[in-house]
Amino acid sequence: MKKRYGSLINGSWVKHKKTFDVRNPFDNSKILEVYDAEETGTLEAIESSANAFKEWKKTSAEERSYFLKTFHSLVLKNKKSIAQTITKESGKPLKESCIEVEYGASFIEWSANQCLRNCGKIFESPEQTKRMFYVKQPVGVVAAITPWNFPLAMVTRKVGAALAAGCCVILKPSELTPITALLLGELSIEAKFPSGIFNIINGKPDMIGDILSKNSTIKKITFTGSTKVGSLLMKNSSKTIKNISLELGGNAPFIVFSDADIDLAVQGLINAKFRNAGQTCISANRIFLNKEIYEIFLIKLKDRLKKMKIGSGLKDCDIGPLISKQALQKVENHIQDAIDKGAKLEFGGKLYKPNSLLFEPTVLTNIKQNMLVFKRENFGPIVPILIFDKDREAIEMANNTEYGLASYFFTSNPKRIWSLVDDLEYGMFGVNSGKISTYLNPFGGVKESGLGREGSLQTLEPFLETKFVNWNF
Ligand code: SIN
């Protein structure tokens, strides 16, 4: 790996004036330096994408699919080194990084396949002399802004689909975890991507986000991150009426009914809560337990938590560090706020090791709806538990949030499953499962959790325009 990385612009690595350090959240050691593209580099990347688009949009679906399949094979071939990079820069356990490489690669392969199925439609004409149809064409230059928590998968879910649709992309990965994206840049060169179809720039998110969202050459913004930033990008993009897709914050309920398989539900919670130390948008954030199974669930949960290993992601562990001091402050603040308002600390609650970002899995009971742990996503290993009696109570509390990304529930009653899918205001459901992530999932949320969906059958759709033709021949 290089010691210093530039931007990938027009197929070459470009240096700029300033650099910033990328650090390992486990021990704060410096991994390497990355050049800050600032305004000049960002504008160069936009120009390069616009030029490349003139040719890329004319390529056949077969050609685009071929490039993506080559790229997909290279990602899998380099699985070990990419996974290690993900762990070094994000802190997540290596076993999770390996899963992320496969998950991330699956989006490239799926896009390469769906690319071959892109098509318009011909209507049966109402008049003999007419033919009416529509075609699907790429929207143009796309800016993809991705978060730190899945340095690979959030990139490939956007970039794979955009390139498959015939768009050119400027990627701005998180400044906390840019190296994985830069490795993808190396692989795009090895896959012989035409110059300029995939550009990568790094630097300060507010400055680069501002340029990308206001520039008229860019026709589409696709963003995964906080609702606050998503809303700002949407506001800025409105000036040039950009197409926009947003995958934003969540506040996932995790509901366990009295007829649930308790061991399955505890395992589901471990999966939905502790992936990436709770730092995912779809993490279980509020746990609702029916009063009949509350005690047994709590005992079984604590037993599992006692066995969880906390430490360096590169060693055998289940929970790695939080990403930053701000993330740690937020977790501590949420716990203190809950305790101040009457919550009971049942497990954990503090740093695992002084002066580190390693935080113990934490369980709080006696949670009230006015507490921060109820209202906001904690993005950490906190399990806030509430008790309910009737289904209606659980549904009302679960919906009492402005977010609507993922939700989870455990029950053996099929009738209840149908009515919960109807009544819960969420975009994705884990039913008797704490895992919902797959390329088949139309990933996204309702309410303030975002706009649009990524992946699944419609994966190319956000990157396509529809053109209708009414042909009198
Ligand atoms: C996220 O946290 O935003 C993405 C999680 C996933 O794709 O599984």
Side-chain angles (χ1 to χ4, degrees), residues 103 107 147 149-150 153-154 157 224-225 247-248 275-276 279-283 377 379 405 428 436-438 441 443 454:
Y103 178 47
F107 290 116
N149 62 345
F150 290 86
M154 296 305 99
R157 190 153 70 193
T224 295
E247 197 257 277
L248 307 175
R275 181 175 176 226
N276 202 8
Q279 301 171 106
T280 88
C281 303
I282 55 170
S283 291
E377 62 183 344
F379 237 64
L405 195 59
M428 300 175 281
I436 57 169
S437 297
T438 148
N441 179 348
F443 203 100
E454 291 183 327

Side-chain angles (χ1 to χ4, degrees), residues 4-6 14-16 18-20 33-37 202:
R4 202 176 269 182
Y5 257 107
V14 178
K15 294 179 186 167
H16 309 283
K18 293 185 195 157
T19 60
F20 63 93
E33 283 171 32
V34 171
Y35 281 100
D36 184 335
N202 287 292

Side-chain angles (χ1 to χ4, degrees), residues 256 260-270 296-297 300-301 304 410:
V256 187
D261 175 333
I262 303 302
D263 290 324
L264 188 70
V266 171
Q267 181 59 50
L269 183 60
I270 301 284
I296 182 72
F297 187 97
K300 285 179 183 256
L301 177 64
R304 289 295 302 272
F410 286 70

Side-chain angles (χ1 to χ4, degrees), residues 307-325:
K307 294 180 194 133
M308 287 188 100
K309 289 180 244 156
I310 310 170
S312 159
L314 290 173
K315 304 260 167 65
D316 177 29
C317 84
D318 303 303
I319 303 183
L322 294 170
I323 188 66
S324 63
K325 282 191 181 142

Side-chain angles (χ1 to χ4, degrees), residues 44 82 154 156 164 333 337 352 359 369 373 398 404 412 458:
E44 268 177 57
I82 299 175
M154 296 305 99
T156 54
N333 187 20
D337 171 79
Y352 175 72
F359 205 85
Q369 296 186 59
V373 277
S412 52
Q458 64 265 49

Side-chain angles (χ1 to χ4, degrees), residues 414-428:
K415 222 170 138 192
R416 178 183 271 147
I417 294 173
W418 277 116
S419 71
L420 285 165
V421 172
D422 282 346
D423 293 342
L424 288 170
E425 297 160 353
Y426 289 86
M428 300 175 281

